[in-house]
Structure formats: C-alpha cells, structure tokens
C-alpha cells in the first residue's frame, strides 16, 4: 500500500513539473512574439498622406488631397480609395510569424530583400509618409514563403506568407500582398457601367447618325426596335453588350488629350433607376479609348411594386451615393480599353434582325 501511495505522489509531482514547464515555455513564446511585434513601427492609416511603391524603374506615387487619394502618374486623377484603404489596413495591422536572425547578404539576395543592386532581382519597396513628409513606415516585400508539400503531393502554387525587411530586421509574415503592384493601372478604379439590366432605352450612333435604337416600357417587358422601326430585336446581342460593359473593361486612365481624338461611335443608356450613361469610343494608332458621362435623375427612378414612400426615398439616397462614386472615378475621364473588348465593333453591331419583321397581313381579294 505504501509503494502505491509513493507511486501516485511521484506521478502527480511529474505532472506538476511538466505543467510548469509548459507554462514557462508558453510565457517565453508569448514574450518573444510581443518583443517582435514591438520592433515593428506602428501607425494609423489616417496619419498617412503619401504612399510610394517602387520596383526597379517602376514606381507609383499616391497622395491624399482633400480626402481623396490621387495618382500622381495619372495627372492627379483619383486612385481607388478602396484599394488604398485595404493596403494601409494590412500594413498597419501587420502580424509577424517569426524573425530571421543573422541574415547575411546571400540570404537577403535569395529572399529578394536587396534593393541597392541593379543586377539582383529586388523586392517591392513601400514607403509611407505623413502630411509633413516624415517617414512613418517602410517595408521591402520580398520572396513568397511556400510550405513544403506532404510526401507524394505536388508543390503548392500559392504562397502562404512573405519575407519582408523592415529597418534592419527580416521577418516572415502571414500576408502575401499580391495586390501591391508598382504600376499605376493597378491603382485605377476600372471603368464599368452599373445595372444595365435596368435599361429602358439604348441608342447607338456613328458619326452623329443613329445606327439603332431599342426601347421598352419597363424592365419586365422585352425590347422593341425603334430604329430601324418594326424590326425584330436580337436579345442575345443586347445581352452581350450589357454584359461586356457591366464588367471592368477599362485597362487604365489615359493621358492622351481627348480633344485630339475622334470619337466616332457612342451608345446611350437610359435606365429605370434614374441613371443615364453616354459612352463614346475613339481609335488612334490601333488603340481604343472610351469616355463615359454619368447622370442621375431622381425624378425618373421607377417605383418598385409594393415600395413605400420611405423605402423609395432611402433607395434614392443609395443611388445618389452610387452616382458620387461613379462620377468620382469615371465621369469624363479618358480610359484605355483592352484590345480584346473591341468596343467600337460591339457598339455598332446592330441588335435587330433586319428583314425578320412580321409581314403585314394581306388584304382579302
């Protein structure tokens, strides 16, 4: 009986020792993580007034003016506020997986954390400054971190982390920053037209002449041909055009002078939600450009079935916010259009089946 009691005493003593060691290890790990986090400079996104993103000879300069982010390389046009906010939020809440100690020049080169040698592939450098021009944060985004696959499994194509350099420290972070590109087009809000499924009238022109026009009384009705009159509407062609323009189709803001371009074709949308779009297309040196004008007419917003006056008012307020967004990024701005879009060809393609109109009834003889 005495031996059994001694055995259990020793057993509980060992459990206590192991538990104490685990707590000490956890505390040491927590302290180490806290120490690493304390090395990372902290900032608030609202403190930042300029962002510089560099890679070799490529660079992007974003500047905050009167509440909007501007893209210096595009003549001070508005950059995408959503994309900038996402970047600043990611950088301001940076979490570190581990710190790499004693990194020599060779390791830094392999991790692409060297930026002063043109013969070596560098990382992407991001520098943040406040309104006074003082540097608040600087990071070099290096090589991605790929987890070693299980035996017999193919290697993963997506990185699960990224090696970065902040000051003199090298760290592995859990974020990849795939959207942090040092080229201006990446920070432009791409051109698209919203809710074209609500169009009530669509009219296309070329060189000032109406090519075709379709109309309907409300969105529950099919389109009928207005020009050419009496023809049958090809709904597939209309759907393809609306689908094309509802998705981002502007590659980049262009610095060409619109006055030197010849806008030969255009398409005009009048929608049931009060929005009106006038999209014009031009070609120069085998490149295609587009300019859109956006308008909103609150008095032309069609009421929805069963919609109360208060609900209609709230919907108009939402639509007004949408207008503010579209005018901020799209209205009267010149966009370069993707070669694959072939915007002019899509606009002038007639969505009516000429010669397919129903024949008038014959008179009785």
């Amino acid at each position: 009986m005495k031996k059994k009691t001694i055995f259990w005493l020793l057993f509980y003593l060992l459990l206590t020792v192991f538990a104490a060691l685990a707590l000490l290890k956890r505390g040491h790990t927590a302290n180490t993580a806290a120490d690493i986090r304390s090395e990372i400079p902290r900032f608030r996104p609202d403190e930042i007034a300029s962002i510089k993103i560099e890679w070799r000879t490529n660079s992007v300069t974003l500047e905050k003016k009167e509440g909007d982010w501007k893209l210096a390389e595009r003549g001070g046009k508005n950059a995408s506020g959503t994309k900038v906010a996402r970047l600043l939020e990611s950088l301001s809440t940076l979490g570190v997986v581990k710190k790499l100690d004693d990194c020599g020049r060779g390791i830094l080169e392999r991790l692409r954390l060297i930026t002063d040698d043109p013969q070596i592939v560098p990382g992407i450098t991001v520098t943040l400054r406040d309104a006074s021009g003082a540097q608040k944060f600087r990071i070099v985004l290096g090589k991605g971190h790929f987890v070693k696959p299980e035996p017999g499994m193919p290697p993963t194509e997506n990185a699960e982390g990224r090696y970065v350099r902040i000051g003199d420290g090298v760290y592995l972070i859990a974020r990849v920053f795939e959207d942090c590109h040092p080229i201006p087009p990446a920070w432009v809000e791409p051109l698209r037209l919203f809710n074209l499924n609500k169009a009530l009238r669509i009219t296309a022109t070329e060189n000032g002449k109406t090519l075709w026009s379709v109309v309907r009384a409300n969105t529950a009705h099919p389109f009928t041909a207005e020009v050419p009159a009496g023809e049958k509407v090809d709904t597939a062609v209309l759907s393809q055009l609306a689908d094309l323009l509802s998705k981002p189709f502007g590659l980049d803001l262009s610095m060409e002078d619109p006055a030197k371009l010849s806008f030969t074709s255009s398409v005009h949308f009048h929608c049931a939600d009060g929005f009106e779009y006038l999209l014009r297309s031009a070609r120069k040196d085998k490149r295609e450009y587009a300019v859109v004008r956006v308008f909103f007419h609150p008095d032309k917003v069609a009421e929805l079935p069963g919609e109360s006056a208060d609900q209609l008012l709230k919907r108009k307020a939402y639509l007004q916010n949408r207008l503010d967004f579209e005018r901020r990024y799209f209205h009267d701005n010149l966009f370069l259009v993707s070669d694959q879009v072939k915007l002019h060809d899509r606009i002038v393609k007639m969505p009516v089946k000429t010669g397919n109109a129903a024949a008038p009834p014959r008179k009785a003889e």
Side-chain angles (χ1 to χ4, degrees), residues 297-317:
H297 309 285
D299 57 314
K300 294 183 180 179
V301 177
E303 294 184 25
L304 301 177
E307 186 175 40
S308 68
D310 184 56
Q311 290 172 329
L312 177 60
L313 195 62
K314 289 180 179 179
R315 189 158 62 91
K316 286 183 178 182

Side-chain angles (χ1 to χ4, degrees), residues 21 30 54 88 129 164 182 187 197 222 278 309 329 333 345 356:
L21 289 173
E54 304 168 272
L88 292 178
R129 299 183 183 276
V164 302
W187 300 95
N197 60 320
L278 175 59
Y329 294 116
N333 284 339
D345 296 343
N356 290 328

